[in-house]
Amino acid sequence: LSPLEYHTLVAVHNVKYQRKRVHEHLRANAYYDQLQLFLNINPKRSCNCSTYNRKNPISGTFRQRLPSHRPEHFHRVHPLLSHHLSRLSRMVRSVVLAATQFACSEDKQANSDKAEQLVRQAAAAGAQIILLQELFERQYWCQVQEKEYFSWAAPFADNPLIARFAKLAAELGVVLPVPFFERANNAYFNSVAVVDADGSILGRYRKSHIPDGPGYQEKFYFNPGDTGFRVFDTKYGKVGIAICWDQWFPEAARALALQGAEVILYPTAIGSEPQDANANSYPHWIRAQLGHAAANLVPVVVSNRIGTEQLPGGSPTAYYGGSFIAGPQGQVLAQVGASELLHGNPDPHPRAVEGFVIASLDLDQVALERAGWGIFRDRRPELYGTLATLAGAKP
């Protein structure tokens, strides 16, 4: 094949946005040199502006940019080249996930700056979908019931927090869910705006399940969400969003999986229980979400805050962090503050530190594994009517 034909085949096997990544894969491994020898490309040949010489950092040889493709060269595919390109096209379905966590202060600007810093660090480490914790702009004010905190809400349209992180997502080329306190006329919601890697805002999800208990008095502030469970088709895959208390409901995770979610994200704020100083919800909390990953064979990412917060009139709450990424068998792939992860289990006592973790997953391979288990093949929706009732049967 000629260099022109080779360039055409690369273009054919690329998916949207991925040409640069495929060429990076070619440069970064032995396939580049193998293909160069196979195609008999002259490394020092030069032509007009569509060609340049670039040194391969591994082999020391020079790489040539190939001319733009032409349709008349689509008819021939050498089996060896087809095998390499098939492998490369499969590689671009790999996604790098990140979970972040940090302590929030009374200074909302400092909180947003810290969030941006962690996003930048995670992106520099290769992350493509980066999760921030629930309502990260403020300390968690739902410890108390005070009408003054309604002034912290802002509309979805022209929201300065969303605009700031949409600009950041476009700069870094990452998918970035942005939790925020939403005001919509006389309604208030605990929401997440989903920003794609080009900075476009794909929409929002409003938290469906609203808790009401000591230290977590969200029903005073938030209406129950009316968006339904939503899956967003992003550059790096289909992302399902649920928020904190939603993570205790298997129906939410299943609804997202049924809509094709390839990753489920849970921004969270959870810690100590003010009514019981001896209560520790961490083991139960993490097992519930690992169960969602395992039951649906879908990776799960969870970001929780750390630090002790006390609002005026409230009790101190210590947020335990433990942010993590789980694989499709419910195994913990990475966890912030973990000393060690044995046999896919979480750290029983992760350190409450600020930072992030990343994990890479092949979404196509996960999809094959999910199909192979037959869980969604063997479902019997006609038998699940009781799930649509509160008491197991309608009166």
Side-chain angles (χ1 to χ4, degrees), residues 137-379:
E137 191 181 23
R138 301 278 191 173
Q139 290 189 325
Y140 183 74
W141 65 90
C142 304
Q143 296 175 9
V144 295
Q145 297 185 11
E146 294 290 345
K147 62 181 181 295
E148 288 77 12
Y149 294 131
F150 284 104
S151 66
W152 289 0
F156 173 66
D158 302 318
N159 187 297
L161 181 70
I162 298 173
R164 172 180 179 173
F165 283 87
K167 181 178 179 181
L168 179 65
E171 175 192 340
L172 301 175
V174 299
V175 172
L176 196 56
V178 184
F180 71 107
F181 185 15
E182 180 186 3
R183 183 180 73 248
N185 297 323
N186 291 312
Y188 294 82
F189 299 99
N190 186 339
S191 300
V192 171
V194 178
V195 181
D196 209 348
D198 61 358
S200 61
I201 300 170
L202 301 180
R204 86 203 96 163
Y205 166 70
R206 292 168 169 168
K207 187 173 182 177
S208 299
H209 302 95
I210 310 299
D212 187 25
Y216 305 91
Q217 301 179 59
E218 292 194 16
K219 274 189 167 63
F220 182 78
Y221 298 100
F222 306 131
N223 294 78
D226 56 2
T227 57
F229 300 110
R230 298 194 62 190
V231 174
F232 299 87
D233 195 357
T234 76
K235 173 180 177 179
Y236 300 116
K238 293 182 178 180
V239 173
I241 303 286
I243 303 172
C244 201
W245 192 230
D246 289 334
Q247 66 204 182
W248 295 90
F249 296 86
E251 298 90 342
R254 179 51 57 91
L256 292 170
L258 286 172
Q259 295 179 73
E262 296 176 296
V263 180
I264 297 176
L265 308 180
Y266 290 111
T268 300
I270 189 170
S272 57
E273 304 293 333
Q275 79 281 9
D276 185 355
N278 296 318
N280 177 18
S281 63
Y282 167 74
H284 186 187
W285 169 76
I286 200 166
R287 288 190 193 108
Q289 293 163 98
L290 297 181
H292 299 329
N296 295 287
L297 282 94
V298 173
V300 163
V301 184
V302 185
S303 287
N304 187 23
R305 64 179 62 199
I306 58 169
T308 299
E309 300 177 12
Q310 183 173 9
L311 278 291
S315 302
T317 301
Y319 299 95
Y320 46 65
S323 305
F324 67 92
I325 302 170
Q329 296 88 30
Q331 76 278 34
V332 177
L333 302 174
Q335 186 175 30
V336 180
S339 299
E340 59 179 358
L341 298 174
L342 297 176
H343 311 297
N345 295 313
D347 191 312
H349 305 287
R351 292 171 293 117
V353 296
E354 296 184 334
F356 68 92
V357 290
I358 62 174
S360 178
L361 285 153
D362 184 337
L363 296 182
D364 283 342
Q365 188 61 39
V366 172
L368 290 175
E369 181 179 340
R370 187 163 51 246
W373 270 96
I375 289 173
F376 292 91
R377 177 198 64 209
D378 296 336
R379 291 184 68 251

